[in-house]
Amino acid sequence: MYSEQFQKSLKAVEEARENNIALEPQRMTAQQKEDLLAEFHPDYRQGEFTELKMGPNKGDKVPHELAETLQAHARIKAEDVDLTTPQYDVDVLIIGGGGAGASAAIEAHEAGANVMIVTKLRIGDANTMMAEGGIQAADKENDSPAIHFVDAFGGGHFAAKRELLRKLVCDAPEAIQWLNELGVEFDKDAEGNMITTHGGGTSRKRMHAAKDYSGAEIMRTLRDEVLNRQIPVVDFTAAVELILDEKGNAAGAVLMNMETKELLVAKAKTVIIATGGAGRMHYQGFPTSNHYGATADGLVLGYRVGAKLLYAETLQYHPTGAAFPEQIFGALVTEKVRSLGAKLVNVNGEVFMHPLETRDVAAASIIRECNARGNGIETGSGLGVWLDTPMIEAIGGEGTIMKRIPAMWRMFDKYGIDIRKEPILVYPTLHYQNGGLDINEDGETTNVKNLFVAGEAVGGIHGRNRLMGNSLLDIIVFGRSAGKNAAQKAKNTEVGTLTLSHIAKFEHEIESAGIVTDTVSPKLLPNYTRK
């Protein structure tokens, strides 16, 4: 089954394990990190980016694949839609059924708004469901939101919008309490205290988890709350265009039934975009840990009506995506595996980096080890390095893996790999959209009124890199905030005449910019048919 090199490398890892457990790798200096990122991180590959020729971010560089979909034709024409007889008329329309959308819906409903969720798959079919490692919050005696801020601000290369990051860390303890009261089964000790661990780039143990099903447990709880409140959820229906009123304010969306392609109109006093990430765009050909619907739809919808993007050129490549076997290529191997003691090891059995560097530094280190230094392991589908999972049991005792990361064990056990006894192969996988739509502290876009954004579709919360556990946190903090603020604003909003005039305006911009394309957007779903 395994090649000679594969078997030889596996033996080297096993022989070096005892020494590697005791080894304390040096952390990189700030300059070493910058040099490493500049040479090896995908965000720094100049040839992989295109300058936008039109729209509110004209002149900015974004990945080729994103530029193509941002500067594409609309899926519909204004004359295809009758705006005079909306099929839905609500106070708050939420586009997206993941953790951010569900949190927003719960709070908007709590505030008395008539709220509706529309989602192109099903509620819960989202990256939230696939998040594993945990959610950060500074709620222990030796920690504080200020320390959390410093960790996250530095980890994001000092580029986060301060007011957004401040809100994230200051609202974090209450977010954990809110989830706990809703019924999330966080890991707790015998006295009922929450168990917390380190994540990459954190100076305190502030990662709260539900084993390694953290996102699934949070999403289960939020979904149950939405359904128990009888909040309307329109599944398998995608938003293909935002609707404005004659004042230029967001006033609803054109929806498309994913099966019949029927177009429907949803009128709303306020709109919340909570469409998630972009992993299924497969930037630079990378595999992805993302769910099937992560195709940057929210960025397209917002951009077409004039909402600005922030840091759209930055993506997070999670350092540990599964590199073997091929059936799970790109699937997420949670950072919690490293926080529990597993180290990254090259083909020769050598630990080549500190296991808890920030994600961008760790990803770049693995790419360097495989490509520049020639120390990767050939997997049959590419290269990878070892994540020495048996270290976890050696450090924490027998049973630690089944107690703390059972989902990881199950994922690999399906293919005959027992991670308690043998290491696993990993390589960076496209994981998170750092950039997104630019919002203010209330969650409203900076230049389109009544349009709110929450979750991964937001840019600026994390800067140019995100620390583990801050994404599950931001969907709760900013989802709840967007729901409250959108509901409040809806109380004082009178919607004017509905219009789709921005479509013709956008088409004129495409023509004026000399862009020739057959692409239509939003993409909605990836296309994996063979060409």
Side-chain angles (χ1 to χ4, degrees):
M1 178 180 176
Y2 299 145
S3 68
E4 184 177 343
Q5 184 226 29
F6 198 106
Q7 293 177 3
K8 183 179 178 182
S9 178
L10 192 59
K11 185 177 180 181
V13 174
E14 291 170 349
E15 290 175 347
R17 182 169 296 132
E18 188 173 339
N19 288 333
N20 283 343
I21 288 173
L23 186 66
E24 289 292 337
Q26 289 290 315
R27 286 191 180 270
M28 297 181 194
T29 66
Q31 188 58 54
Q32 286 173 328
K33 291 177 183 180
E34 289 303 316
D35 292 344
L36 172 72
L37 292 171
E39 188 169 359
F40 294 103
H41 194 277
D43 278 357
Y44 292 76
R45 295 173 182 170
Q46 295 303 313
E48 297 291 342
F49 296 84
T50 297
E51 187 175 293
L52 291 170
K53 297 180 179 178
M54 56 170 292
N57 288 80
K58 181 179 179 180
D60 290 355
K61 287 189 175 181
V62 299
H64 297 315
E65 300 88 346
L66 182 58
E68 182 181 19
T69 196
L70 286 175
Q71 300 179 146
H73 302 295
R75 284 186 168 271
I76 60 171
K77 293 181 172 60
E79 55 266 30
D80 296 337
V81 185
D82 180 7
L83 297 177
T84 61
T85 55
Q87 282 73 32
Y88 305 100
D89 191 346
V90 297
D91 295 329
V92 181
L93 174 67
I94 299 170
I95 303 171
S103 297
I106 292 166
E107 290 292 10
H109 184 265
E110 184 69 17
N114 175 15
V115 58
M116 182 177 81
I117 295 174
V118 58
T119 177
K120 67 183 174 184
L121 296 173
R122 300 166 300 178
I123 183 171
D125 286 337
N127 283 344
T128 304
M129 194 75 180
M130 305 173 80
E132 296 165 345
I135 175 171
Q136 286 203 49
D139 58 1
K140 294 293 179 73
E141 289 182 0
N142 68 334
D143 202 358
S144 71
I147 299 172
H148 189 176
F149 183 99
V150 170
D151 287 348
F153 197 50
H157 301 283
F158 309 100
K161 290 183 73 169
R162 288 173 179 265
E163 65 272 25
L164 300 185
L165 184 55
R166 184 188 306 114
K167 182 175 182 62
L168 181 78
V169 300
C170 289
D171 289 5
E174 186 195 352
I176 295 292
Q177 184 179 13
W178 184 71
L179 289 171
N180 189 53
E181 290 172 353
L182 283 178
V184 171
E185 296 285 350
F186 286 112
D187 295 340
K188 297 175 182 176
D189 62 21
E191 284 72 45
N193 302 306
M194 290 195 190
I195 298 170
T196 52
T197 58
H198 274 299
T202 63
S203 60
R204 299 290 188 275
K205 291 183 178 181
R206 69 172 71 95
M207 203 69 56
H208 303 66
K211 295 184 169 56
D212 54 348
Y213 298 104
S214 302
E217 172 61 11
I218 288 170
M219 191 68 243
R220 175 197 67 80
T221 305
L222 294 175
R223 180 177 54 209
D224 284 353
E225 185 68 15
V226 167
L227 298 179
N228 288 340
R229 286 172 174 264
Q230 298 184 320
I231 296 170
V233 178
V234 184
D235 288 324
F236 299 113
T237 302
V240 295
E241 204 68 45
L242 292 180
I243 298 170
L244 304 178
D245 65 14
E246 84 276 8
K247 295 170 283 189
N249 300 335
V254 178
L255 313 178
M256 184 182 75
N257 182 296
M258 293 292 284
E259 182 178 3
T260 66
K261 309 306 177 187
E262 177 188 8
L263 296 179
L264 305 164
V265 173
K267 180 182 178 182
K269 295 176 181 177
T270 55
V271 178
I272 301 174
I273 290 176
T275 52
R280 293 289 169 167
M281 300 292 282
H282 293 290
Y283 298 126
Q284 300 188 34
F286 271 80
T288 186
S289 63
N290 284 191
H291 81 104
Y292 190 56
T295 50
D297 295 354
L299 275 58
V300 173
L301 294 174
Y303 197 71
R304 197 126 63 208
V305 297
K308 287 193 69 173
L309 301 173
L310 185 63
Y311 303 145
E313 76 282 12
T314 67
L315 287 302
Q316 182 168 90
Y317 297 81
H318 195 291
T320 55
F324 181 86
E326 187 176 18
Q327 295 95 322
I328 54 172
F329 188 51
L332 180 63
V333 176
T334 173
E335 192 170 305
K336 191 174 181 180
V337 175
R338 286 178 284 138
S339 71
L340 290 173
K343 292 176 183 172
L344 291 159
V345 181
N346 67 21
V347 68
N348 302 314
E350 301 161 337
V351 174
F352 59 89
M353 60 164 284
H354 192 285
L356 291 179
E357 293 284 8
T358 56
R359 286 178 171 178
D360 54 352
V361 170
S365 295
I366 293 170
I367 292 170
R368 177 178 65 181
E369 198 69 17
C370 289
N371 298 342
R373 293 178 173 174
N375 289 331
I377 300 94
E378 178 57 56
T379 68
S381 302
L383 295 171
V385 297
W386 296 109
L387 183 55
D388 198 4
T389 49
M391 286 185 174
I392 296 171
E393 302 262 297
I395 294 168
E398 186 176 345
T400 301
I401 284 176
M402 293 305 294
K403 182 179 180 181
R404 302 297 297 277
I405 49 170
M408 286 295 94
W409 179 84
R410 290 188 178 92
M411 184 167 79
F412 285 92
D413 182 62
K414 290 178 183 178
Y415 305 99
I417 299 170
D418 187 344
I419 69 172
R420 298 170 298 184
K421 300 174 181 177
E422 55 185 306
I424 56 179
L425 283 166
V426 296
Y427 191 80
T429 185
L430 185 52
H431 182 61
Y432 190 81
Q433 177 179 271
N434 288 324
L437 293 163
D438 192 10
I439 63 168
N440 61 27
E441 194 173 357
D442 291 334
E444 191 173 23
T445 58
T446 53
N447 54 341
V448 179
K449 291 182 179 179
N450 296 349
L451 179 62
F452 294 77
V453 192
E456 198 171 341
V458 173
I461 298 173
H462 309 287
R464 296 181 176 275
N465 180 58
R466 177 181 62 78
L467 299 187
M468 171 193 179
N470 279 348
S471 60
L472 282 178
L473 178 59
D474 89 49
I475 65 173
I476 304 302
V477 169
F478 286 92
R480 294 180 70 198
S481 177
K484 291 174 183 177
N485 292 322
Q488 182 60 39
K489 193 158 192 183
K491 292 178 181 179
N492 303 309
T493 296
E494 290 292 333
V495 179
T497 303
L498 302 185
T499 174
L500 289 169
S501 59
H502 68 274
I503 296 178
K505 180 183 175 184
F506 199 82
E507 286 292 329
H508 178 70
E509 281 192 72
I510 291 175
E511 186 178 345
S512 298
I515 297 169
V516 179
T517 180
D518 295 325
T519 303
V520 296
S521 65
K523 189 173 185 176
L524 300 183
L525 294 173
N527 182 1
Y528 292 120
T529 56
R530 295 184 183 275
K531 295 181 180 179

